[in-house]
Amino acid sequence: MVLAVDPNRPTTSYIRTSFTVEDGLSSNVVNAIVQTRSGFLWIGTDAGLDRFNGRHFTPIYFRGPRTTPQGIVSALAEGPDGDLWVGTSNGLVRIANSALDHFDRSQSIFYHPGAGMSAEITCLRISRDGTLWVGTNVGLYRFRGSQFETAMPGVFISRIEESADGHLLVATGKGFVELDGMRIIEHRGLPNQLGILPKSLFHVLQDRKGVVWFCTGAGLARSVSGSIERFQPYGVPGVPGVFQAYEDPQGNLWAWSSTEMFRASAAGVEPLAPNLPARTAYGDRENNLWVGTNGEGLMGFKDRPIRMFTKADGLPNNIPMTVLSRRDGSLWVGNNCGGLSVLDGQRFKTYDEKNGLSNSCVWALAEGENGQLWVGTWGGGLFRFADGRFVQFSKPQGLADDVVRAISVARDGSLWIATENGGLSHMRNGHLRNYTMADGLSSNRVVTVYEDRRGSIWAGTSRGINRMTGDRFGPVSSAREILDPRYIGLGEDSSGNLYALSAPRGIDRVQGNQLVAVNHDLDLLSMAPFARQDMWFSGGNGIFRVSAAALGRTERDHETPLDYSSFGRGDGLASPQCSIGSPNMAMAADGKLWVTTVQGLAMLDLQRLPSDAPKPVIFVEEVTVGRKKQPASRELVLPPGTHHVELHFDSVSLAWPEKIRFQYRMDDVDPVWLDADNLRAAVYTNIPVGAHTFHLRACDSNGVWDHSGIAFSVTQNPYLYETSWFRLVGATALALFLAAGYQLRLRQITGQLRARLDERVSERTRVAQELHDTLLQTIQASKMVACNALEYPSDATRMHSALERLSLWLGQAMEEGRAALSALRNSTTQRNDLAEALRHAADDCGLSCTMTCALKVEGNSRDVHSSIRDDVYRIGYEAIRNACTHAGGSRLDVELSYLRDLTLRVRDNGRGIDPKVLANGKDGHFGIKGIRERAERLGARLNLQSSSAGTEIELIVPGGLAFCQRQHALPRSLTKLNRFFRLNQ
C-alpha cells in the first residue's frame, strides 16, 4: 500500500478536507480522535462524542441513569478487547465493543477514578501490556480488573506516552517524570538542558527510531544519542511554544503550537498549513492524517494522487488538448490556441507563431518513424516539426481539410490523418490520397484513426466505425445508430482485443465486423494500454482504470458490476472533464500517466498508486417507516399495512468515501441488483407479507466489488386476514358454505320438482274424476238411448223421441267437455292478472246458464306468485262453474281483494247446498273436496257457507305468501349467488 501521507512529498501537496458544525460535527473544538476496529473514527469535542464514517457524523449520547452529563470529551482510547474508553470532564465512560456499530447506551459503564465524582479526565493511554492509564486533574490512575489504583496522587496530568522500554513518559503540571511500573523517576536536570522552567515542558515523546522529542514553551527539541538538538526558532520572545507532538503510522513527526502545525525531521520543520490551531492529531489505518483544531473543526490530510500542471508551470493556458510522450522521454503538449509545449525539467517551454507554427490551436500529435513530430491543428492543417523547424501541409498541398482531429503513424511510416469535414487523408512519401464517403466512409467527419497490431486501419466517424478492406472502407455493424457522439476512440488491450469508445454509449469490443456491448455506463473518450494488463481511460467525468479481466467478466455477464477505479476532484483533478484532442493520454517510460483536461494537465504516478484497498465496511444505518425515522437494529419488523419503507445505508471509508459504489436487492421484491444513487437509500412501497432478505454490496476505493456483501432481515407482518391460517380457515369455510349451498339448492330443486309432479298428478286425477262424473256418464247415457232406439227401428215416434234426447245429451256432453278443457287451460300464465282470468271464467259460465254474473276488484292489482295464482284461479273457477251448474239462481257475484291479504269470494242466490254434501262432499264428485285440498295446499283459510238463500265461498291467502315482494338491487358481488340460489323466488 502506498502511503497516503507520504513523508517524501511536500506538505503543500496534500489534499485537505475540512469538517465543521455545518457538516454535522457537534463542536468545532476537537480534543481527541481515535479509530476503532470497525473502521469508524471517533471524535471527542467540547459538545460530546461523534462517530464518523468518512461521509457524515453521528452524535453519541451515552448519559446513563442517575449520572452526570457526558460533558466535554477530552480523551479517547481503544482497549485490547475493542471497548472504547471515553474521558470526559465528568468522569470516564466505557462503551462495549458490541455497542459501537449500533450504539446502545445500556452497554455503557461509568467510572469515577479517585475519591468522589469530581475527577476530570485529561488523557488516556493503553500501554503495550494492555493496561489502561488514566490522567486526571487530580492524579494518575491505573485500571486493573474492575478497579482503579492510584499511581500519582494530587497532581495535574497533561500527557502520557510510552517509551521503548515500557516506561511511561508523564507530563504533569509540575514538570516531567518517568514512571517505571509504580516507581517515579525524576529528570531534574532536563529543564536546564532545554533552557526552560520545569512546568514549561509540556510533552515528551519517543519515536519508533528511539529519538526523544520535547515540546516546550521555548519550542521543539529532540535528544539524539544523548545530545539535545533544538529546532529554530527556539526561545525567541514572542514566538509561541510547542505544546504537543504526534508520530503517525508512516513515521512523520507532527508538532504544533497555538497557531501552527508542522512536520519535523532532521532536515528541519515544514509547515503543514498556516494559521492552523491544532489541538490533537491522529493517523488512521487508511494512512490519512486527522487534525482536531481549536475552533476550526476537524481536518483531514491525504496524499494527492494527481498533480496538476497549469500556466503556473509554464503552459501557455489551462486548456491542453493533446499530450505525447516521445521515444526519447520528452513530453509534448498541444494547447488550444496556445501552441506546442515541451516539458523542460520542471517547467514547460512553448512554440507558437513566432517560432514558425502559423496556427497554434494544436489538437493532435504523433511521432514519426524517424523521430519527427507531427502536429495537427484546428484550421491550419498538418505541421511537421523537426530540427526546430515547422513545415506545413494543408488543403493547397492536397490535405482533405485544414481541421485535423487525429494522426496515426502506420507501420510502413505513412500517415493517416482524420479531418473534421474532409474525410481521411493518407500521406505516403509526401503524397496525399483522400478517402471520403465515396470510398465507403460512413461520414466525412472523421474523429479518430487507428492501426491495430495486425495492420488493419480503422476510422471512427460521427456515424460509426469503419474498417479498411483493400482500398475501400466498410461499416462495422452496431445494434443502434451512433449519431454525432462527442468523441469516438479506438484502442487495444495487451491481448489484442480492439475496443471502440464513445462518450454517449461507453465501451464496445470489435469482434470481426461487429460491435459487441461490454459496458455502457461509463462516459469514455480514449484509451491508453498499460503493461500490467490494466487499461486506462479518459472520460467526460474523470479518469478510469479497468483490468482486462474485469471487462471480460462484464461482457460475459452484464448483471456483474464492472470493477473499475475512478479519479476525479477528490484525487486532485481541477476538473474531471478530459479534453478531446488526440491523443489526450500519454504513458511515459517512467510510469507516469499524463492526461489533458479542460483545466490543466494531470499527472498520475502509477507506481505510487495503491494496488489493493481494504474491503468496504457497509451497514444499514437508519430506517424510515412511514414518516418515522429510527436507527437500524439487527432486523426490521414492519407492522401490518406498512406502505412506505426507506433503508438508508452507508460505508466506512475515511480516505475515499466518494469512490464507494453500492448495489442492493431485496428477495421477492427486486428482480435484479439496483444501483444506489448519492442518497444511498432503498425505497420500497407495499413490501409483500412475510420474511425477506435485503442484500447490500459495495466496491472498495479501487472499484473492486465485494459480491458477498451483507444481508439485512426485513419482515412484513400481516393483518389477521392475511395470515396463512386465516386463509386456510377462510378457504375451508367457503368450501363448506358452497357445499351447504349446493345441498340446499339441490333440495330446493328436488322439492320443486316433487311439488310440480304432485300438482300434475292431482290435476290429472281431478280432471279424470270430472270427466268420469260428467262427460263419460253423459256419453254413456247417450249410448243407452241410441241402443234403445235401435231396438225399435220401425217405431218412428220412439225413434224421434230418442233422437231428441240424444241431441240434448250430446249438447250437454259438448258443454261438459268444453268446461273440462277450460279448467285445464292456465288462463293466467300469459298475464299476471287474476281478475281478468276470473272475468273470463264468469263470462264462459254465463253462456251456459241464465245467471247474471258480476266481478268486483278491491285495491290495486298486485303481482301474485304463479303457483298460488293458478290454484286461486282453479278454486274460483270451480266455485263459479258449480254455481252456474247446480245453484239454479239468478245472480252470481265474484269479489277479488288485493288489500292486506289476497281474498276471493264467490256468492250466488241459488238453492244452496245440502249441509251433508257441504261438510263431506258428494260421493263420486270431487268439486268441494278439490277446493278444500287446494286451499290446504296453499296454506289459505277457506270458509264455505250455504243456505236456502244461496251459497258463499271465501278464500283468504296471507299476503306474505301470495304477493311478490319488490326486490332491492343486490350488490354485484351477490348477483351470481342470487342467481344460483334464487333467493328472490
Side-chain angles (χ1 to χ4, degrees):
M1 174 73 70
V2 175
L3 306 181
V5 180
D6 188 353
N8 299 316
R9 298 293 298 275
T11 57
T12 54
S13 69
Y14 297 150
I15 297 176
R16 172 178 171 177
T17 308
S18 299
F19 301 92
T20 63
V21 291
E22 286 81 5
D23 304 297
L25 190 64
S26 294
S27 170
N28 284 340
V29 178
V30 177
N31 304 307
I33 307 170
V34 73
Q35 185 180 27
T36 53
R37 298 176 184 180
S38 60
F40 287 107
L41 200 67
W42 298 82
I43 316 297
T45 75
D46 271 7
L49 181 66
D50 290 334
R51 189 184 68 186
F52 184 54
N53 69 344
R55 209 186 307 264
H56 69 271
F57 297 88
T58 301
I60 304 298
Y61 303 101
F62 50 76
R63 177 176 180 175
R66 283 184 257 175
T67 63
T68 57
Q70 61 195 53
I72 297 173
V73 176
S74 54
L76 296 169
E78 183 185 25
D81 54 2
D83 291 354
L84 179 64
W85 292 89
V86 184
T88 77
S89 57
N90 296 314
L92 185 65
V93 183
R94 182 180 187 177
I95 304 176
N97 180 29
S98 58
L100 295 180
D101 292 345
H102 298 277
F103 180 71
D104 183 359
R105 77 174 71 189
S106 65
Q107 300 188 49
S108 301
I109 304 175
F110 292 77
Y111 299 92
H112 294 278
M117 300 179 64
S118 61
E120 177 182 340
I121 309 301
T122 57
C123 55
L124 297 172
R125 179 75 187 187
I126 305 292
S127 60
R128 284 190 287 270
D129 62 1
T131 302
L132 172 65
W133 296 87
V134 182
T136 73
N137 61 337
V138 293
L140 177 64
Y141 299 89
R142 178 173 62 183
F143 184 75
R144 281 192 174 185
S146 59
Q147 295 181 345
F148 287 92
E149 299 176 355
T150 303
M152 294 178 61
V155 64
F156 185 93
I157 307 298
S158 58
R159 300 285 183 269
I160 306 172
E161 298 291 348
E162 186 175 13
S163 63
D165 56 8
H167 293 183
L168 293 186
L169 308 178
V170 183
T172 74
K174 298 179 180 180
F176 166 70
V177 297
E178 188 174 347
L179 192 64
D180 180 9
M182 299 297 284
R183 183 173 65 92
I184 297 176
I185 303 173
E186 296 185 358
H187 297 270
R188 297 183 183 275
L190 183 59
N192 291 331
Q193 291 178 309
L194 296 172
I196 60 172
L197 296 174
K199 63 180 181 180
S200 294
L201 184 52
F202 305 131
H203 189 201
V204 179
L205 170 69
Q206 185 180 37
D207 64 21
R208 296 183 186 89
K209 297 177 181 179
V211 177
V212 180
W213 298 81
F214 305 99
C215 299
T216 75
L220 180 67
R222 70 175 185 169
S223 175
V224 181
S225 301
S227 176
I228 299 295
E229 298 179 359
R230 301 176 180 181
F231 290 82
Q232 298 302 320
Y234 189 89
V236 177
V239 177
V242 176
F243 297 119
Q244 193 173 350
Y246 170 75
E247 184 184 19
D248 68 19
Q250 292 76 44
N252 294 294
L253 195 287
W254 303 94
W256 54 90
S257 66
S258 60
T259 59
E260 184 182 26
M261 184 173 184
F262 53 85
R263 180 170 61 187
S265 64
V269 296
E270 184 181 9
L272 175 64
N275 301 319
L276 180 62
R279 291 180 63 87
T280 186
Y282 184 83
D284 64 27
R285 291 193 293 271
E286 297 181 55
N287 302 320
N288 304 286
L289 178 66
W290 297 94
V291 178
T293 71
N294 186 20
E296 296 186 10
L298 177 69
M299 296 186 183
F301 295 87
K302 60 186 177 183
D303 195 11
R304 184 185 299 272
I306 298 176
R307 180 186 173 187
M308 296 300 298
F309 291 82
T310 61
K311 289 181 64 176
D313 301 287
L315 287 174
N317 56 40
N318 290 336
I319 313 177
M321 298 300 297
T322 177
V323 60
L324 176 69
S325 177
R326 298 178 65 177
R327 291 188 290 270
D328 61 5
S330 60
L331 185 75
W332 295 80
V333 179
N335 304 282
N336 187 22
C337 300
L340 178 66
S341 302
V342 59
L343 183 61
D344 183 9
Q346 295 297 319
R347 294 187 61 81
F348 285 91
K349 175 185 176 182
T350 300
Y351 297 87
D352 52 21
E353 287 85 355
K354 64 180 180 294
N355 302 107
L357 183 61
S358 59
N359 187 301
S360 61
C361 299
V362 179
W363 277 56
L365 292 173
E367 184 179 11
E369 62 175 351
N370 297 322
Q372 69 272 36
L373 187 63
W374 293 97
V375 182
T377 67
W378 189 279
L382 179 69
F383 291 84
R384 182 181 63 200
F385 181 65
D387 301 325
R389 296 177 62 252
F390 290 94
V391 178
Q392 184 178 15
F393 299 86
S394 58
K395 292 182 71 173
Q397 286 79 35
L399 191 66
D401 187 53
D402 284 340
V403 177
V404 175
R405 295 294 304 270
I407 307 168
S408 178
V409 180
R411 294 180 180 180
D412 58 5
S414 62
L415 294 184
W416 291 90
I417 303 108
T419 68
E420 177 68 12
N421 294 305
L424 189 64
S425 294
H426 185 204
M427 177 184 287
R428 185 194 302 271
N429 298 325
H431 300 285
L432 288 166
R433 159 76 159 91
N434 296 327
Y435 295 84
T436 63
M437 295 178 64
D439 301 289
L441 288 176
S442 299
S443 170
N444 286 336
R445 186 187 179 202
V446 183
V447 293
T448 188
V449 59
Y450 184 82
E451 183 186 37
D452 64 21
R453 63 184 60 185
R454 300 177 183 85
S456 297
I457 302 298
W458 303 81
T461 76
S462 60
R463 293 186 175 273
I465 306 297
N466 294 140
R467 179 182 184 180
M468 189 174 191
T469 303
D471 199 38
R472 288 188 59 83
F473 286 88
V476 176
S477 60
S478 174
R480 58 181 178 179
E481 186 178 9
I482 307 175
L483 295 175
D484 195 20
R486 282 180 288 163
Y487 189 78
I488 291 180
L490 295 167
E492 289 177 280
D493 62 16
S494 58
S495 301
N497 294 310
L498 180 64
Y499 294 95
L501 314 176
S502 173
R505 57 173 286 157
I507 179 170
D508 295 331
R509 185 172 61 86
V510 181
Q511 181 177 348
N513 207 41
Q514 290 185 338
L515 293 175
V516 179
V518 176
N519 181 277
H520 289 173
D521 296 329
L522 298 179
D523 182 6
L524 302 180
L525 298 175
S526 67
M527 169 185 171
F530 191 47
R532 291 187 301 185
Q533 296 188 347
D534 283 338
M535 292 178 287
W536 287 87
F537 299 90
S538 64
N541 58 356
I543 303 170
F544 305 92
R545 179 178 62 185
V546 186
S547 68
L551 282 179
R553 288 192 299 269
T554 302
E555 180 181 336
R556 291 187 297 270
D557 182 9
H558 290 289
E559 295 298 324
T560 300
L562 178 64
D563 295 341
Y564 67 89
S565 303
S566 62
F567 299 85
R569 291 185 183 275
D571 302 279
L573 282 177
S575 170
Q577 182 179 352
C578 298
S579 302
I580 58 174
S582 177
N584 64 359
M585 306 176 72
M587 191 72 65
D590 59 0
K592 293 182 175 62
L593 178 67
W594 299 83
V595 184
T596 59
T597 77
V598 297
Q599 290 187 16
L601 179 66
M603 185 271 288
L604 292 83
D605 191 346
L606 303 186
Q607 297 178 2
R608 296 175 49 83
L609 295 178
S611 58
D612 56 5
K615 178 180 176 180
V617 178
I618 56 179
F619 58 95
V620 178
E621 184 176 31
E622 185 181 68
V623 299
T624 300
V625 180
R627 296 184 178 180
K628 181 181 179 181
K629 291 185 178 181
Q630 61 193 47
S633 58
R634 303 297 177 183
E635 63 176 355
L636 176 62
V637 179
L638 301 173
T642 300
H643 297 295
H644 181 82
V645 177
E646 297 179 11
L647 302 176
H648 298 266
F649 44 84
D650 213 329
S651 64
V652 181
S653 178
L654 302 180
W656 314 103
E658 71 278 2
K659 294 180 182 289
I660 308 300
R661 306 188 305 276
F662 296 89
Q663 286 188 335
Y664 63 89
R665 179 175 62 86
M666 183 177 289
D667 291 343
D668 306 321
V669 178
D670 299 318
V672 297
W673 286 91
L674 303 176
D675 293 321
D677 56 18
N678 293 331
L679 296 178
R680 299 177 302 282
V683 180
Y684 292 98
T685 58
N686 299 324
I687 295 178
V689 170
H692 309 277
T693 300
F694 177 75
H695 298 276
L696 180 65
R697 65 187 183 186
C699 70
D700 59 24
S701 58
N702 280 345
V704 178
W705 285 88
D706 172 28
H707 294 278
S708 56
I710 63 171
F712 182 71
S713 177
V714 179
T715 302
Q716 173 66 70
N717 283 336
Y719 284 114
L720 176 64
Y721 60 83
E722 293 178 313
T723 59
S724 299
W725 68 266
F726 183 89
R727 292 175 178 176
L728 179 61
V729 171
T732 304
L734 179 61
L736 294 176
F737 175 74
L738 292 177
Y742 175 76
Q743 292 295 329
L744 176 62
R745 181 57 180 157
L746 187 62
R747 291 179 183 178
Q748 288 178 345
I749 294 175
T750 303
Q752 291 176 1
L753 291 176
R754 287 178 179 175
R756 291 177 182 177
L757 180 61
D758 292 344
E759 181 181 348
R760 291 182 181 181
V761 172
S762 299
E763 183 65 19
R764 290 182 180 182
T765 301
R766 184 192 66 78
V767 172
Q769 291 173 344
E770 289 182 355
L771 291 175
H772 178 270
D773 292 345
T774 58
L775 179 62
L776 293 179
Q777 291 185 8
T778 302
I779 293 175
Q780 179 67 27
S782 300
K783 180 177 182 301
M784 293 176 63
V785 170
C787 291
N788 185 46
L790 290 175
E791 292 180 358
Y792 305 98
S794 58
D795 188 348
T797 302
R798 181 185 295 271
M799 182 66 69
H800 183 270
S801 176
L803 290 175
E804 286 181 349
R805 293 174 58 191
L806 183 60
S807 175
L808 179 63
W809 286 0
L810 288 177
Q812 181 179 345
M814 183 181 298
E815 293 297 330
E816 291 171 347
R818 182 181 292 110
L821 292 176
S822 178
L824 285 175
R825 182 182 65 192
N826 187 4
S827 60
T828 65
T829 299
Q830 301 299 325
R831 294 175 57 193
N832 193 1
D833 192 343
L834 185 59
E836 186 69 18
L838 292 174
R839 184 185 305 279
H840 285 298
D843 292 343
D844 290 343
C845 183
L847 295 175
S848 59
C849 65
T850 59
M851 296 180 72
T852 301
C853 298
L855 176 66
K856 179 181 178 182
V857 179
E858 186 177 6
N860 297 325
S861 178
R862 299 172 64 182
D863 290 341
V864 181
H865 289 295
S866 58
S867 59
I868 294 177
R869 183 180 66 230
D870 290 343
D871 281 337
V872 171
Y873 168 74
R874 290 191 175 96
I875 290 174
Y877 180 83
E878 183 69 23
I880 293 172
R881 191 177 69 84
N882 285 339
C884 292
T885 304
H886 305 293
S890 62
R891 183 170 180 81
L892 177 64
D893 294 314
V894 180
E895 298 179 2
L896 183 64
S897 173
Y898 287 103
L899 299 180
R900 179 176 180 182
D901 300 321
L902 178 63
T903 304
L904 174 65
R905 296 185 185 89
V906 179
R907 183 186 308 111
D908 64 66
N909 60 353
R911 66 178 66 94
I913 305 175
D914 188 342
K916 294 182 179 180
V917 175
L918 186 65
N920 302 316
K922 186 177 181 180
D923 292 340
H925 292 266
F926 298 94
I928 294 177
K929 183 177 180 182
I931 289 174
R932 284 199 173 99
E933 289 177 352
R934 289 184 186 277
E936 182 178 358
R937 187 165 62 244
L938 288 175
R941 186 168 68 251
L942 180 67
N943 297 319
L944 296 177
Q945 298 179 1
S946 183
S947 64
S948 59
T951 301
E952 180 178 332
I953 298 176
E954 182 183 47
L955 178 71
I956 302 175
V957 184
L961 296 176
F963 300 130
C964 296
Q965 300 297 325
R966 183 177 299 275
Q967 296 186 22
H968 298 283
L970 291 174
R972 183 177 298 179
S973 58
L974 297 179
T975 301
K976 292 185 178 180
L977 285 177
N978 177 54
R979 292 175 181 174
F980 180 76
F981 294 112
R982 296 184 182 178
L983 298 176
N984 59 333
Q985 294 183 359

